[in-house]
Amino acid sequence: MDKTKINETLRRNVALLSKQSERELGMMPATVAPLPSVEMVKRIVTLVKSIIFPDYFEKRQPDEAIRAYHIGVWMEELTTLLTKQIAHGLQFCEDCEANSTKAQVYGIAEEKALAFIDALPEIKRLLYTDIQAMFDNDPAAPNFGEVIFCYPSMNTMTHYRIAHKLHELQVPVIPRIITEQAHSKTGIDIHPGATIGEYFAIDHGTGVVIGETAIIGNHVTLYQGVTLGAKSFKYDENGNMLNIPRHPILEDHVTVYSNASILGRITIGHDSVIGGNIWVTHSVPPYSRIQQSKAVDVAFQDGAGI
Amino acid sequence: MDKTKINETLRRNVALLSKQSERELGMMPATVAPLPSVEMVKRIVTLVKSIIFPDYFEKRQPDEAIRAYHIGVWMEELTTLLTKQIAHGLQFCEDCEANSTKAQVYGIAEEKALAFIDALPEIKRLLYTDIQAMFDNDPAAPNFGEVIFCYPSMNTMTHYRIAHKLHELQVPVIPRIITEQAHSKTGIDIHPGATIGEYFAIDHGTGVVIGETAIIGNHVTLYQGVTLGAKSFKYDENGNMLNIPRHPILEDHVTVYSNASILGRITIGHDSVIGGNIWVTHSVPPYSRIQQSKAVDVAFQDGAGI
Amino acid sequence: MDKTKINETLRRNVALLSKQSERELGMMPATVAPLPSVEMVKRIVTLVKSIIFPDYFEKRQPDEAIRAYHIGVWMEELTTLLTKQIAHGLQFCEDCEANSTKAQVYGIAEEKALAFIDALPEIKRLLYTDIQAMFDNDPAAPNFGEVIFCYPSMNTMTHYRIAHKLHELQVPVIPRIITEQAHSKTGIDIHPGATIGEYFAIDHGTGVVIGETAIIGNHVTLYQGVTLGAKSFKYDENGNMLNIPRHPILEDHVTVYSNASILGRITIGHDSVIGGNIWVTHSVPPYSRIQQSKAVDVAFQDGAGI
Amino acid sequence: MDKTKINETLRRNVALLSKQSERELGMMPATVAPLPSVEMVKRIVTLVKSIIFPDYFEKRQPDEAIRAYHIGVWMEELTTLLTKQIAHGLQFCEDCEANSTKAQVYGIAEEKALAFIDALPEIKRLLYTDIQAMFDNDPAAPNFGEVIFCYPSMNTMTHYRIAHKLHELQVPVIPRIITEQAHSKTGIDIHPGATIGEYFAIDHGTGVVIGETAIIGNHVTLYQGVTLGAKSFKYDENGNMLNIPRHPILEDHVTVYSNASILGRITIGHDSVIGGNIWVTHSVPPYSRIQQSKAVDVAFQDGAGI
Amino acid sequence: MDKTKINETLRRNVALLSKQSERELGMMPATVAPLPSVEMVKRIVTLVKSIIFPDYFEKRQPDEAIRAYHIGVWMEELTTLLTKQIAHGLQFCEDCEANSTKAQVYGIAEEKALAFIDALPEIKRLLYTDIQAMFDNDPAAPNFGEVIFCYPSMNTMTHYRIAHKLHELQVPVIPRIITEQAHSKTGIDIHPGATIGEYFAIDHGTGVVIGETAIIGNHVTLYQGVTLGAKSFKYDENGNMLNIPRHPILEDHVTVYSNASILGRITIGHDSVIGGNIWVTHSVPPYSRIQQSKAVDVAFQDGAGI
Amino acid sequence: MDKTKINETLRRNVALLSKQSERELGMMPATVAPLPSVEMVKRIVTLVKSIIFPDYFEKRQPDEAIRAYHIGVWMEELTTLLTKQIAHGLQFCEDCEANSTKAQVYGIAEEKALAFIDALPEIKRLLYTDIQAMFDNDPAAPNFGEVIFCYPSMNTMTHYRIAHKLHELQVPVIPRIITEQAHSKTGIDIHPGATIGEYFAIDHGTGVVIGETAIIGNHVTLYQGVTLGAKSFKYDENGNMLNIPRHPILEDHVTVYSNASILGRITIGHDSVIGGNIWVTHSVPPYSRIQQSKAVDVAFQDGAGI
């Protein structure tokens, strides 16, 4: 082909694509600083994993003092990167930054980053209760190593517990980037705003959805495909959806089997068991056992063409 | 262990594995040129993302002229890589290449690549309508940044809209590689042959399947686990499956809630709402509201052993 | 912010996080050698893919002797890496390593690695039957290339067949790391302990779960969301779950449509078809056709607020 | 060896090496900002080479508009990196930064960086005169490509002309890092402070030394091992060496053959030729021809043991 | 600083630097294909080193069959890269390419590449005689490993022997890129056109220059700083330098000590020894011993100011 | 070209090159373990530079505790790599390893590595005296930063002082690899066996050679091109060169100007100055001033053709 035509096509479309439409501009923060970097957020999560599971995701190191060197280096990198990404993320919070200079934004970001650093020991403690729960619940788990190395639920919970802390610290955008990275890897979609107690277990996990305002107690277990969702949306007088509590509350020691959907701001009482493949939209009292009325409602036929 | 035994094992199996079986050879194109490269196709999609969302996935750059330098460089790399991958992919199209020289194949590939370049501004426009739709539909979306950075549906739609254009240009194999990369990342499986209008939104998304011949209008919203599938397959007189229209048509302003399955070449009339977890195999008129007759058909029992 | 405060925060938390809790220590093998490396296991799978599909995932090379050089190099790297990772993994097998020196562990690992190398030609043969099956089952598959390059089921089966062989060789942890990598990429969760015959096909795949003790014959096809799961768990007198056969048996030529759940140690007789979205907990004889009694059990209403 | 002893050795020496001695501290700037990065300075030079010789060190691109995209991207990266490195380097200039805030330092750095950007077209012009001179002088040069690709003198002159401009702009430390990188690659040691005219050629080059205050006219040629050095040093009343003009002046059209040393603030008149292997410490008039009185002053002997 | 000013400066200089001056254009080949890549040429040399010294620069592999896999892979990459680089280099040979199509150029390049491949066993043999010579000549050489790993002369000779073969095959530009890479690493500057026999040794080496038409026999040894140069240049009637034999001939078993210069088309007879630091411009007969008449011609003084 | 011919050429030469000649085998250690890795030795030196000059070659870090984390991590990596490389190097020491198992070799290597770790604080102290000396000697040195960042002599001395310590610890091959890496970068060739006191300075440096048995006191300064070499070699009754003291001794406070050669086991008395470009083969007493009798012995002529 005539090289001239290729070059013309390139130049014409470069010109078109360099222009930002009204819509595109309207979607950007009013600031001019860089936006958060998905790659850097990924690195942040990797650093937290190294800090919390050094023997598994880095190199086994039995000596505490030597291990402290490594953890110290990761912690320093973490603090630097996190401060910067929080500062970039704060552009999406129009209120809080309204009259802020760049230095003020960094000051706020630094405080949030340090608060996160101070929360790491508790995040670590919680994650080790999750390991225990997942190991205890699964007859196919032959050892803790398999849980820590392989279980998509452990990967997801690590992302979620990091993201939830940042959400509590009112960091915009970053928490969701973090949970969506886990969603992408595991098919488990937990909103960073959800509240989840200790000893939490998910088995298999693909298709699990836990909404923004869900509240989950301790010792709760979910199986694949479980949705803790909203039943319907409320609107204000202008027709805008309202972001209010709309997802279920699961009290302690609840188990929900695969593909069950629990919808709306209802409460599943403690020590209840929800059977697979069902659709629950009303609260149930403690110690309930709920399942499909006819578990196998099938017709035997012969003949092709289903 | 005796090093000799290791080396013998290696050599013996290298010899076995270097031979290509009849079956293996039968699966290869009759040509000898290289096959497409999954890594290069990944790079192609990354380049398009950089071009369409430069401030998000590259570095924010408010000056149009400076931004044009970057977009120009990505566009040039894109054109080169795409031409090459299309040429490699064309080997899988036995008809079109039948009597072609290598130069002819490259000529065809170059034309298709330029047609794709010319389609980029429209692809960009469509994707920004999708962002708008996803933002408007989700009360948990606090800003556009979160949609662009995090939403698996945005990632999927970017892959799909690229792939669909290449599918229209009759490029073999590459479009499917592109949509399957999104499927892998997001659990949303859209066939490049499906037709999707503007302002399309998916929430959560894991488990969504949209078949090859599905047709979707404007302003349509789907939730996780929705299948737009085939109900049954037709065969020709030789028992080969026929690749004919077999997936549903969704008109404008249709909403389908989670885990619903819509199967077969049926039409869901405009402005209809399909409730969650149901199985639809017949057409429904405009403005329909369809849901399970008993949303919560469960039995309360106590006793263990579900 | 005062730099001193940052440094103090870092030091304080580094000290806390360097200490390993009782729980953390209790989860580690009693040994001091390194644990398996997820990255190295990933490399091992990549090498096997290069060896089995050299023209697709490496560079097309029609000459057998030249191809043998490449396969030889990959095989050597594979043997070395696999031996090392197996040795690291053996720490999780307390029995087998009880009284072993490091040299003995490596001897055992080397034997297992060589046995795996010797199994590669058969693994390759099986995978090419799977390609054939997936191509034959899918009207949307225009050529074999699309199946090999794109189908998540092919990616999953490659991981599974590698992992299953290592599982047979009683290698701990590594097989599950391998299947979970496929689970993460494809949303298809096959336990390495499951037994699967030749000509196995999965379409779409997201959400498929195949449990540890499932047994699947030849020429079986599954669709997305199918669960071959346990119905309930058995406990020993101490309340520990028992790891016994608890997943279904599918005989030859069985097809299971999307989102069906087949639960418990039941048998689906050969040449049966299980319809979509149903829940099967009892065995069915050969040539059965099972589907929902009312495929579309929906209520037409108008009015908002689903 | 006892692992404990290794860890003790590590900890003991880590503690010793983390402390900074008085001498070490005395060598650091009084500031706390990062110091220049040798790697980043290397990247800066690479970018200038790409900008000035795009067809040779990047990819040949005949279309001016497309080439401008690439040059634009390199120029932007160059401006950013250079500003930052200059700012870091300014810490070594105690006067100029004395009362400056970080923002002021960046303002100064930015101005110097832009002045450098504005000098690039002239630097490019000069370097192309050097290519011409080296080609014209060397019967072994079959084409310009060999000069641009291979000649250590071209590599050195590129580094020198960049460094000299930054030296003129009173940037500390960075210019010397740049010339020493060329010195390391080529064995040609030109101080960034030296002044060199256009059409400058060096052949072979290893061992050439050109001192800080040397002044070289146009159309000058040097061979390997030539030193343009100081003859002696002057001291102030405190015994500190004085940094005053102490290296030679070579007027236009001077040629100096291999291993000649020209020392002190003397002038070699225009159109002179200095023969190889000699030691010149006095000025010579224009059109001089200087060489060793006895070019081969050797004794013929037989017998071993030199 | 005003961001606008930065962007203006960038745009203005991008425009200036994107234009190619008459001089710049005059230096380019008249073709439009890519020029050789310095990085690829580096890779070519690395591959040859891996092939010739696999145990030293790659991984020790005692088994011949396994080693052949590695060598095979390197050889294939080498052939591909070399063919491509030769084709790019041929643009600098105006005669030979005058009326050639791209396919013809590749045909020629391929033939030269294969001729080079066929020369590799002899290049290997020669290099092992050089190792022997360097080991035998240096009392500081405790083993062959130190010679192969460390000696700059071995590195240089590897580059030279590769480059010389390509020079014999009339490949333009590439040979010189190869020898200049060694020159840069070692300070030893051997023109690819020079002819050098077997068992050649250089000690230390920095500053050695061996000109294009030099001829060196077998068992010759040089020390650092030795020049085998031209004494003067000849011009044709148009004032262009003539590229004719102008460098010395050293017969077998000649030794030249450090910093000696041997200049012009003279012959040093076999078994001669040339002492250090002297300047030889006339031929000498076999078995000569040449040294400075007064080896230490110095004046003892006291007093400062040398 | 016929692809078959290419493949044949490849196969034929792969077969030839995979065979190891008698000579090649005779040059290898009698062991089968891997040989040292040049890349790993490079990494070792980089780590030592990071440890000794953390603010310059890594990232400035004023806090001692945080800096200790980084130094700790580098020290751990250094210990591991060094132990392994020493063990590989020990294969070249036939005596010491004669009857050793692999475990014994590693034990010896570990001891040497720890002895090196214990020497690091002293190596650091010496290098900072060298910085001081180079700064004090050079009127062109405006600050310490320029010396540490840029001076080839500092780079060389870092390599030398590391290598010399390993040489003292009787580690084979590795020390020479380390000094040759500096030789390659700087053109300064110091044998690891040489003994050099504190406050040592070299200016410019290209072409400096310091032989294996040279001994240099404190506060010595050398300029470019200085050789401290052997005058002649001694042989044993079998004609093998003897490795005995054969290089000069320079006492404290000696200065040697550019291109001077000092040859043989002679002593330059303390506080002497050796002028440039001369050849010294006899000892001189303290406080000597030695220079060429006629510094500029040149003939003025006109006429071309030097």
Side-chain angles (χ1 to χ4, degrees), chain B residues 1 6 12-13 18 20 23-24 28-29 31 33 36 91 176 180 183-184 189 241 279 281 289 291 306, chain C residues 55 60 67-68 110-111 118 124 129 137 140 146 149-150 152 185 199 204 206 231 277 295-296 299 301 303:
Chain B
M1 181 182 290
I6 298 177
R12 185 175 62 247
N13 285 290
S18 302
Q20 293 181 302
R23 167 169 282 152
E24 187 178 352
M28 305 276 294
T31 54
Q91 293 174 91
R176 188 72 185 272
E180 284 300 333
H183 184 193
S184 167
D189 178 358
M241 284 185 183
W279 186 268
T281 56
R289 294 288 176 280
Q291 61 177 49
I306 288 192
Chain C
D55 290 0
R60 199 168 177 189
R67 194 168 53 242
E110 207 161 60
E111 267 179 43
D118 271 329
K124 180 179 175 181
T129 69
N137 273 293
E146 202 155 309
F149 273 129
C150 319
K185 284 276 172 217
Y199 294 93
H204 305 297
T206 308
K231 193 181 161 203
N277 230 25
V296 190
Q301 335 172 277

Side-chain angles (χ1 to χ4, degrees), chain F residues 215-231:
Chain F
I215 298 173
I216 296 176
N218 300 326
H219 296 281
V220 169
T221 302
L222 308 183
Y223 286 80
Q224 71 268 27
V226 166
T227 297
L228 306 185
K231 193 181 161 202

Side-chain angles (χ1 to χ4, degrees), chain F residues 25 50 64 70 105 113 121-122 167 174 183 220 258 290 299-300:
Chain F
L25 284 167
S50 299
E64 184 179 325
H70 292 273
V105 172
E122 172 64 4
H167 177 92
I174 315 286
H183 185 193
V220 169
S258 62
I290 297 177
F300 282 68

Side-chain angles (χ1 to χ4, degrees), chain A residues 234-298:
Chain A
K234 297 267 185 300
Y235 299 80
D236 65 14
E237 61 269 33
N238 301 319
N240 295 319
M241 285 186 184
L242 289 169
N243 188 357
I244 54 173
R246 61 197 181 279
H247 303 100
I249 297 167
L250 274 60
E251 296 182 350
D252 294 353
H253 293 286
V254 165
T255 297
V256 186
Y257 283 101
S258 62
N259 300 312
S261 294
I262 305 179
L263 304 174
R265 189 52 156 193
I266 61 175
T267 298
I268 306 299
H270 60 80
D271 295 284
S272 291
V273 178
I274 309 298
N277 231 24
I278 62 177
W279 186 268
V280 183
T281 55
H282 295 93
S283 293
V284 301
Y287 297 106
S288 300
R289 292 290 176 279
I290 298 178
Q291 62 177 47
Q292 281 191 302
S293 50
K294 292 178 292 175
V296 191
D297 177 13
V298 300

Side-chain angles (χ1 to χ4, degrees), chain D residues 51-62 64-65 67-69 71-73 75-76 79 107 110-112 114-115 117-121 124-125 128-129 131-132 136-146 148-152 155 184-187 199 203-206 223-224 231-233 257-259 275-277 292 294-306, chain E residues 1-3 5-6 9-10 12-21 23-24 26-38 42 91-93 172-174 176-177 180 183-185 187-189 191-192 206-212 225 227 231 233 241-243 246 257 259 261 263 273-285 287-293 305-306:
Chain D
I51 290 165
I52 291 184
F53 307 106
D55 290 0
Y56 286 84
F57 296 123
E58 294 288 335
K59 219 181 80 185
R60 198 167 177 189
Q61 176 47 268
E64 184 179 324
R67 193 167 55 241
Y69 298 144
I71 289 178
V73 168
M75 291 282 273
E76 197 209 7
T79 310
E110 207 163 58
E111 266 178 44
K112 290 179 192 293
L114 288 194
I117 295 297
D118 271 328
L120 275 174
K124 180 178 175 181
R125 191 193 67 76
Y128 278 85
T129 70
I131 299 169
Q132 189 72 52
D136 291 345
N137 273 293
D138 186 359
N143 51 59
F144 289 100
E146 202 155 311
I148 300 174
F149 273 129
C150 319
Y151 276 40
N155 194 12
S184 167
K185 284 278 172 214
T186 66
Y199 292 94
D203 201 10
H204 304 299
T206 308
Y223 286 80
Q224 72 269 24
K231 193 181 162 204
S232 60
F233 302 124
Y257 284 102
S258 62
N259 300 312
N277 232 25
Q292 280 191 304
K294 291 178 292 176
V296 191
D297 177 13
V298 300
F300 283 69
Q301 326 172 287
D302 41 25
I306 287 191
Chain E
M1 181 181 290
D2 187 5
K3 195 74 188 164
K5 191 184 153 197
I6 298 177
T9 306
L10 276 177
R12 185 175 59 248
N13 285 289
V14 168
L16 286 172
L17 289 158
S18 301
K19 285 197 176 39
Q20 292 181 303
S21 66
R23 169 169 280 151
E24 187 178 353
M27 289 176 177
M28 305 276 294
T31 54
V32 296
L35 303 183
S37 154
V38 169
K42 216 175 262 181
Q91 294 174 90
F92 288 98
C93 164
V173 182
I174 315 287
R176 188 73 185 272
I177 295 179
E180 285 300 334
H183 184 192
S184 167
K185 284 276 172 216
I188 302 172
D189 178 358
H191 194 283
T206 308
V208 165
V209 176
I210 300 178
E212 182 180 12
T227 297
K231 193 181 161 202
F233 302 124
M241 285 186 184
L242 290 168
N243 188 357
R246 61 196 181 281
Y257 283 102
N259 300 313
S261 294
L263 304 175
V273 178
I274 309 297
N277 230 25
I278 62 177
W279 187 265
V280 183
T281 55
H282 295 94
S283 293
V284 300
Y287 298 106
S288 299
R289 294 288 177 278
I290 298 177
Q291 63 178 49
Q292 280 191 303
S293 51
I306 288 191

Side-chain angles (χ1 to χ4, degrees), chain C residues 206-227:
Chain C
T206 308
V208 165
V209 176
I210 301 178
E212 183 180 12
T213 63
I215 297 173
I216 295 176
N218 300 326
H219 296 282
V220 168
T221 301
L222 308 184
Y223 286 80
Q224 72 268 26
V226 166
T227 297

Side-chain angles (χ1 to χ4, degrees), chain F:
Chain F
M1 181 183 289
D2 186 5
K3 194 74 188 163
T4 313
K5 191 183 152 199
I6 298 177
N7 291 336
E8 268 170 30
T9 306
L10 276 178
R11 282 197 301 267
R12 184 175 63 248
N13 285 290
V14 168
L16 285 171
L17 288 158
S18 302
K19 284 196 177 39
Q20 292 180 301
S21 68
E22 282 301 299
R23 168 170 278 152
E24 186 178 353
L25 284 167
M27 289 176 177
M28 305 277 294
T31 54
V32 295
L35 302 184
S37 155
V38 169
E39 285 310 308
M40 283 304 101
V41 174
K42 215 175 263 180
R43 176 77 189 138
I44 284 167
V45 176
T46 300
L47 285 165
V48 176
K49 284 184 192 168
S50 299
I51 290 165
I52 291 184
F53 307 106
D55 290 0
Y56 286 83
F57 297 123
E58 294 288 335
K59 218 182 80 185
R60 199 167 178 191
Q61 177 46 269
D63 184 86
E64 184 179 325
I66 310 291
R67 193 167 54 241
Y69 298 144
H70 292 273
I71 289 178
V73 167
W74 298 323
M75 291 282 274
E76 197 209 6
E77 187 186 349
L78 174 61
T79 310
T80 307
L81 292 183
L82 190 55
T83 303
K84 198 168 176 184
Q85 291 304 312
I86 292 175
H88 293 345
L90 283 171
Q91 293 174 91
F92 287 101
C93 164
E94 289 173 23
D95 300 345
C96 48
E97 209 190 3
N99 301 303
S100 306
T101 65
K102 191 182 162 189
Q104 285 172 319
V105 172
Y106 263 81
I108 296 166
E110 206 161 59
E111 267 178 43
K112 290 180 192 291
L114 288 193
F116 179 80
I117 295 296
D118 271 329
L120 274 175
E122 172 64 4
I123 289 175
K124 180 179 175 181
R125 190 192 67 76
L126 284 170
L127 285 169
Y128 278 85
T129 69
D130 297 333
I131 298 169
Q132 188 72 52
M134 294 188 202
F135 178 78
D136 291 344
N137 273 293
D138 185 358
N143 51 59
F144 289 100
E146 201 155 310
V147 176
I148 300 175
F149 272 129
C150 318
Y151 277 39
S153 41
M154 265 320 295
N155 194 12
T156 306
M157 287 309 292
T158 308
H159 282 252
Y160 159 75
R161 294 207 184 275
I162 296 167
H164 182 62
K165 185 69 211 173
L166 293 170
H167 177 92
E168 283 185 348
L169 292 165
Q170 297 182 289
V171 174
V173 182
I174 315 286
R176 188 72 186 271
I177 294 178
I178 291 172
T179 53
E180 285 299 336
Q181 286 172 350
H183 185 193
S184 167
K185 285 275 172 215
T186 66
I188 303 172
D189 177 359
I190 309 181
H191 195 283
T195 305
I196 302 181
E198 60 189 30
Y199 294 92
F200 181 67
I202 304 177
D203 201 10
H204 304 298
T206 308
V208 165
V209 176
I210 301 178
E212 183 180 12
T213 63
I215 298 173
I216 296 176
N218 300 326
H219 296 281
V220 169
T221 302
L222 308 183
Y223 286 80
Q224 71 268 27
V226 166
T227 297
L228 306 185
K231 193 181 161 202
S232 59
F233 302 123
K234 298 269 185 299
Y235 299 80
D236 66 12
E237 62 268 31
N238 301 318
N240 296 319
M241 285 186 184
L242 290 169
N243 188 357
I244 54 173
R246 60 195 181 282
H247 303 99
I249 298 167
L250 274 60
E251 295 181 349
D252 294 352
H253 293 284
V254 165
T255 298
V256 186
Y257 282 101
S258 62
N259 299 313
S261 295
I262 304 178
L263 304 174
R265 189 52 158 194
I266 62 175
T267 298
I268 306 299
H270 60 80
D271 296 282
S272 291
V273 178
I274 309 296
N277 231 24
I278 62 177
W279 186 268
V280 183
T281 57
H282 294 94
S283 294
V284 300
Y287 298 104
S288 300
R289 294 288 176 280
I290 297 177
Q291 62 178 50
Q292 279 191 303
S293 50
K294 288 178 292 175
V296 191
D297 178 11
V298 299
F300 282 68
Q301 330 172 284
D302 40 26
I306 288 192

